[in-house]
Amino acid sequence: MSGIVDPGLQAGARPAVGGRSERSRGGTLGPTGTVAAVVVAFAVLAALWPSLLGGGDPLAVHPADALAGPSAAHPFGTDESGRDVFARVVAGTRASLVVGVVATLVGGLSGVVLGTVAGLGGRFVDAVVGRVTEVAFALPLLLVALVVIAVTGPGPVPATLAVGFATAPGYARIVRGLVRTARSSQVVETAVLQGRSPGRILVRHVLPAALWPVVAVATLGVGQAVVWASALSYLGVGTPPPAPEWGAMLADGRTYLLTAPWMSTFPGLAIVVLATAVTVLGRAVRRAGARR
C-alpha cells in the first residue's frame, strides 16, 4: 500500500536544468508522458467503443475453434471454449478501467474524509484516526481487500469497494499532513481573525491546499487499482466468468500455459501496459502541475 504515497509530492518543483525555466517546461508531459497519454486514450476508446476495434462477440462460443493459436482470424488466438481472446481482451478494458477509476475515487474520497477529520480534530481524534490508518497502512493491500470481501461477499462491486477502502489510508496520511499544515498557515490565521466561519475556512483555504496532491496521487493509484482488481478476479472473488475481465482470463489460462500460452500472455500484457501507462501519465501530470 505504501506505493500510493509519492515522496515527490512534498518535494516541490526542482530547479531548472540547462537554462530552461520551470515555467517553460511546466506545460508539457514530455515524450514518455505523451506516449502514456496515447496508450490511455486508446484504452478509453476501447472501453467506450470496443466494436470499433473489431474482434466480434467476446462471449461467442465456437467449440470447433477451441485453443486455436494466433492467426489472421484470431490475432490473440482462442480459449478453451473457442472464444476470441482478442475480443475478450478489448472488452475487458472497460471492466478494468471502471474498477480502477471507481476504486480510486472511493479510496481518495474516504482518505480525504479521514485525513480532514484527523487534521482538524483534537489530539484524541487525531490519535485514534492515526492509529487506525497506520495499522491498515502497514497491512498488505491485498489482505485488506480480502478482509473487506469476506464481509461483503465476492463480486465486481465488492471487489471495487475493497480495493478502494484498502487504498484509503494512504490518501488519509497525505491529507492529514496537508490539512495540518494549511491549518497553521498565515492565510488561515488571518481568516480566523477576520471572523470567518470554520466551514468557509475549510472550503476556501484548507481543502484546496490538499486538492492537487490528492489528485496527483490518485492518477498514480488508478494503475495500481487496475492491478489489484485483476488480482482479486484472478483469485476468483472479483468479476465472475464468463464475463471478459483480464484477471479472470489469466486464471482461466493457468491450466493451458503449456498448450495455449496466449490465453494468459495477452491479458497479462494488457494489465501491465495499462497500469504502466496510467502510472507514467500520472507522474507526468504531477510534474507538469508542480512546475507551473
Side-chain angles (χ1 to χ4, degrees):
M1 281 187 58
S2 59
I4 69 168
V5 181
D6 193 340
L9 285 173
Q10 306 297 334
R14 291 181 290 182
V17 177
R20 295 181 63 189
S21 67
E22 296 297 333
R23 184 176 298 274
S24 65
R25 297 190 301 171
T28 62
L29 298 177
T32 305
T34 301
V35 172
V38 172
V39 173
V40 172
F42 187 79
V44 172
L45 180 63
L48 297 178
W49 199 358
S51 60
L52 182 65
L53 302 180
D57 184 359
L59 299 178
V61 176
H62 302 284
D65 296 329
L67 301 179
S71 62
H74 306 287
F76 291 177
T78 63
D79 62 10
E80 75 281 7
S81 299
R83 294 172 297 196
D84 188 85
V85 175
F86 176 76
R88 291 178 62 78
V89 169
V90 172
T93 308
R94 176 181 300 175
S96 295
L97 273 180
V98 168
V99 169
V101 172
V102 174
T104 302
L105 288 175
V106 171
L109 292 176
S110 301
V112 168
V113 173
L114 288 175
T116 302
V117 170
L120 296 180
R123 184 173 301 177
F124 176 76
V125 174
D126 185 24
V128 171
V129 176
R131 297 298 83 76
V132 172
T133 55
E134 285 177 4
V135 171
F137 191 80
L139 296 174
L141 185 147
L142 186 59
L143 178 60
V144 177
L146 289 174
V147 170
V148 175
I149 287 179
V151 175
T152 61
V157 174
T160 302
L161 296 177
V163 174
F165 290 139
T167 58
Y171 296 106
R173 291 185 64 176
I174 296 173
V175 174
R176 174 194 174 274
L178 294 170
V179 167
R180 290 182 70 87
T181 300
R183 180 183 178 183
S184 60
S185 66
Q186 184 176 0
V187 174
V188 172
E189 291 179 354
T190 301
V192 172
L193 293 175
Q194 292 175 345
R196 296 180 180 177
S197 65
R200 184 177 181 183
I201 294 175
L202 175 65
V203 173
R204 296 197 60 180
H205 302 293
V206 176
L207 290 182
L211 178 61
W212 175 253
V214 171
V215 171
V217 175
T219 56
L220 304 178
V222 172
Q224 292 183 335
V226 168
V227 174
W228 290 116
S230 298
L232 293 176
S233 293
Y234 180 86
L235 294 175
V237 294
T239 302
E245 200 281 333
W246 295 340
M249 293 173 67
L250 276 174
D252 292 340
R254 288 178 300 178
T255 309
Y256 306 95
L257 281 177
L258 296 180
T259 57
W262 52 85
M263 287 180 58
S264 296
T265 300
F266 292 109
L269 286 175
I271 295 172
V272 172
V273 170
L274 179 59
T276 302
V278 173
T279 302
V280 170
L281 179 61
R283 292 186 182 277
V285 170
R286 181 184 63 80
R287 289 195 298 267
R291 289 168 179 164
R292 291 185 183 278

